[in-house]
Amino acid sequence: MGVSSEGILTPLPPDFTFPQMNMNGLITKWFLGDKKNNIPPYRLLQANNNFIEHVKNGKRDISKMGKVMEKVKQFGMTVDAWPSDRWDGSKVATLYSKVWR
């Protein structure tokens, strides 16, 4: 947990930065977050909320990730790899394997 410069409680630590990652890392962090470091799923950190206000380039980065994930979703739906229920490690692995071969 952290606090933004506006005093807003955020689920990200004050020193958080988005890591460099490959497609598998993005898909995993988008749906599952980083449990080891207590980071929520990135899909919950939208550019229009204050959760990423204190993250350097946070709005730009999460917006770019969201655009990539929209394309992943489109393709994932065409290959029947986009579940309608909750995401877990198995579903993320299936999506990655069908989208990124």
Side-chain angles (χ1 to χ4, degrees), residues 48-99:
N48 62 351
N49 66 31
N50 293 322
F51 290 160
I52 58 172
E53 194 70 32
H54 69 289
V55 178
K56 183 178 181 179
N57 299 319
K59 288 186 178 190
R60 180 199 69 193
D61 292 347
I62 203 70
S63 178
K64 285 181 178 181
M65 287 184 255
K67 289 175 184 174
V68 170
M69 290 306 299
E70 277 299 314
K71 295 296 182 187
V72 170
K73 178 180 181 178
Q74 289 172 1
F75 190 70
M77 291 178 84
T78 65
V79 295
D80 199 30
W82 195 267
S84 60
D85 54 353
R86 298 185 65 192
W87 286 92
D88 60 28
S90 174
K91 291 174 184 165
V92 167
T94 298
L95 176 64
Y96 176 75
S97 70
K98 289 188 175 185
V99 170

Side-chain angles (χ1 to χ4, degrees), residues 33-49:
D34 180 354
K35 292 181 183 181
K36 177 182 166 198
N37 292 308
N38 205 27
I39 305 298
Y42 288 2
R43 63 188 165 86
L44 302 177
L45 306 172
Q46 299 304 312
N48 62 351
N49 66 31

